Amino acid sequence: MPFPAHFRWGVATAAYQIEGATTEDGRGESVWDVFCRTPGRVRDGHTGEVACDHYHRWPEDLALMADLGVDAYRFSIAWPRIQPDGTGPANPRGLDFYDRLVDALLDRGITPFPTLFHWDLPQALEEEGGWLNRDTAHRLAEYAALVARRLADRVEHWITLNEPVVVTAYGYALGVYAPGRALLLDALPAGHHQLLGHGLAVTALRAEGARRVGLANHYSPVWAAAEDDEADRRAAEAFDVFMNRCYTEPVVRGRYPDLSVLGGPDPASYVRDGDLAAIGAPVDFLGVNYYNPTRVKAPAPGDPLPFELVPVEEHPVTGMGWPIVPDALLDLLRTLHRTCPGVPLYITENGCAFDDSVHDEERIDFLARHIDAVRAAVAEGVDVRGYFVWSLLDNFEWVEGYHARFGLVHVDYATQRRTPKDSYAWYRDHIARSRGAVTG
Ligand code: FCB
């Protein structure tokens, strides 16, 4: 069964992971610049200072996309390029970069899907409390308006946030990602403020002419360690609320699931009247980032979190140690279809890292099986409109630095030479075949 004619095939990247040029053209500092400089935070002290040097080499990267035949490109806009201090007027040189990129994409028939916030918060805002400060939500909306004022005449699809749960969990609860704060459940307001920022940004974007707006969430289907164990089932439910439902239900239904299963601060201390109406501003699509399912069990007595993660051992794993379970993607799409009726979905990220050379059979197998899961969902009537491979290029994989390679294209960081992997050729053929199946 072929994919529908309008189905988009794309690739995804993010600013801090590929651009480099962190001090050029007036860019301010982001939390990730500061985090990378802090000894012991990122493997081998790697930083995004140069990354794939995409800021200078973007024409070459665009040519790679054109040859690949994608019709959509998800990238992110670096907030500190647009507002070096996180507030105030736009830095025109920052906007110019994305303006040129958008024009060049459109010239090649590639639809831009910019993400406004893919984790590189201006450091100046972090110094005011970052996402724990409610005001940051208003700053996001202000920034969104500046970008849309310049680009919305040409950019139709907008993504406000990337994976707010990861910022909350890794950035503020566990402290393993920037900004490195380890507040456990006291981090929950950081999630709420991101959602509020999303809602305010949706409204601000539309006021500037943006036509289709959504956000990209990280989803992980949850399995209880022992299905017949009541405590494990409760832990699985809590993890599902924490990871998945917290960032979906407020957006599509204007209300939170029952947060009392998490423990943590009383939501009344950070959710104000009117917030959920703002967060529930209608979206045109949901972005689904999927990598793997999670298994959880009941926490040990005295554990501050209401769940404990246990490894999934019965499936093969990627180079990151993430279990490979395409069926869990199918389950996830069914769940979203049921719980978010009428909301179109895009797979905004899916992919894998392996210690590969350019001969990456394992990646081909991973992508083929996940795309089959998407095909099965579409055949059942789930409204999936596109699929973006994470990632076009090997890039700066956060705390793994340059050790994890997710690209369809290999990057030699010493020379910045790009070499398409076998998976690139496979994806190109896949796209060409699916277009052929549609039209012919
Ligand atoms: C996701 C991030 C993305 C990338 C992949 C591997 O959680 O959104 O930036 O690092 O994981």
Side-chain angles (χ1 to χ4, degrees):
M1 156 129 186
F3 280 90
H6 61 258
F7 196 91
R8 291 175 190 276
W9 297 103
V11 285
T13 65
Y16 192 71
Q17 296 179 272
I18 63 166
E19 286 180 358
T22 52
T23 56
E24 266 176 67
D25 292 339
R27 179 187 178 278
E29 212 166 45
S30 82
V31 293
W32 272 94
D33 296 294
V34 174
F35 192 76
C36 290
R37 276 206 299 274
T38 313
R41 293 302 208 173
V42 176
R43 252 176 96 183
D44 290 339
H46 290 171
T47 79
E49 255 178 273
V50 177
C52 305
D53 195 31
H54 172 81
Y55 195 74
H56 302 114
R57 294 170 194 263
W58 64 269
E60 181 182 350
D61 295 337
L62 224 108
L64 282 164
M65 283 185 251
D67 286 346
L68 185 55
V70 292
D71 47 32
Y73 174 42
R74 175 176 177 234
F75 58 99
S76 84
I77 293 176
W79 187 346
R81 288 197 194 282
I82 310 302
Q83 290 179 300
D85 296 321
T87 178
N91 164 28
R93 288 178 296 167
L95 284 174
D96 290 347
F97 174 72
Y98 299 104
D99 195 292
R100 284 192 294 269
L101 180 69
V102 161
D103 280 344
L105 286 164
L106 293 172
D107 278 351
R108 287 165 179 76
I110 302 173
T111 303
F113 277 67
T115 303
L116 288 163
F117 176 63
H118 199 128
W119 305 354
D120 42 2
L121 188 74
Q123 176 64 18
L125 295 185
E126 182 54 33
E127 279 154 27
E128 303 291 319
W131 286 112
L132 295 169
N133 181 350
R134 198 183 152 82
D135 191 53
T136 301
H138 294 278
R139 299 285 75 77
L140 181 80
E142 186 183 282
Y143 152 63
L146 293 174
V147 179
R149 202 162 299 155
R150 175 70 90 87
L151 300 180
D153 58 335
R154 283 153 292 153
V155 171
E156 183 178 344
H157 301 81
W158 295 80
I159 296 172
T160 54
L161 305 176
N162 180 66
E163 301 187 349
V165 69
V166 172
V167 173
T168 307
Y170 288 180
Y172 288 88
L174 301 173
V176 293
Y177 276 19
R181 307 201 51 187
L183 303 169
L184 298 172
L185 291 171
D186 286 335
L188 290 176
H192 178 70
H193 296 146
Q194 287 177 84
L195 287 173
L196 180 60
H198 155 80
L200 297 172
V202 169
T203 304
L205 288 165
R206 292 206 200 285
E208 297 294 340
R211 276 176 291 156
R212 292 174 201 259
V213 189
L215 85 171
N217 272 322
H218 182 94
Y219 289 105
S220 186
V222 190
W223 300 338
E227 280 297 342
D228 53 358
D229 182 295
E230 175 60 31
D232 282 0
R233 280 210 311 271
R234 270 205 310 277
E237 191 193 313
F239 188 81
D240 193 30
V241 166
F242 179 81
M243 173 65 91
N244 304 312
R245 296 179 55 195
C246 247
Y247 298 89
T248 307
E249 290 174 29
V251 171
V252 301
R253 295 193 205 160
R255 63 177 162 73
Y256 273 109
D258 177 7
L259 297 178
S260 69
V261 298
L262 299 178
D266 180 355
S269 65
Y270 57 88
V271 181
R272 296 201 191 153
D273 284 353
D275 284 5
L276 284 161
I279 295 170
V283 289
D284 302 288
F285 62 89
L286 271 183
V288 176
N289 294 0
Y290 170 75
Y291 290 93
N292 56 269
T294 305
R295 175 166 286 144
V296 301
K297 68 175 182 182
D303 194 315
L305 297 176
F307 42 74
E308 189 180 312
L309 272 48
V310 290
V312 171
E313 276 167 343
E314 68 278 27
H315 293 275
V317 296
T318 69
M320 301 290 279
W322 299 347
I324 303 172
V325 193
D327 278 354
L329 174 57
L330 176 56
D331 281 351
L332 166 63
L333 294 172
R334 286 175 177 150
T335 303
L336 290 172
H337 180 63
R338 196 179 65 245
T339 55
C340 311
V343 184
L345 307 174
Y346 286 90
I347 311 299
T348 36
E349 285 182 29
N350 178 233
C352 53
F354 285 106
D355 280 338
D356 45 347
S357 63
V358 296
H359 301 301
D360 56 344
E361 276 307 308
E362 289 164 300
R363 177 169 292 102
I364 293 173
D365 185 60
F366 181 102
L367 295 175
R369 292 173 59 208
H370 285 79
I371 288 172
D372 277 346
V374 178
R375 190 199 317 274
V378 170
E380 288 177 14
V382 182
D383 185 5
V384 188
R385 305 241 172 133
Y387 175 91
F388 293 79
V389 173
W390 183 271
S391 183
L392 172 68
L393 303 168
D394 290 342
N395 60 47
F396 175 78
E397 175 49 33
W398 311 114
V399 291
E400 296 298 323
Y402 298 100
H403 292 289
R405 294 181 171 274
F406 274 89
L408 296 173
V409 175
H410 179 273
V411 176
D412 176 343
Y413 294 106
T415 61
Q416 290 294 344
R417 177 147 180 255
R418 276 92 163 121
T419 309
K421 302 180 189 177
D422 291 348
S423 58
Y424 173 99
W426 177 86
Y427 193 44
R428 186 181 53 204
D429 292 349
H430 163 81
I431 295 171
R433 269 197 316 272
S434 25
R435 292 223 180 92
V438 167
T439 52

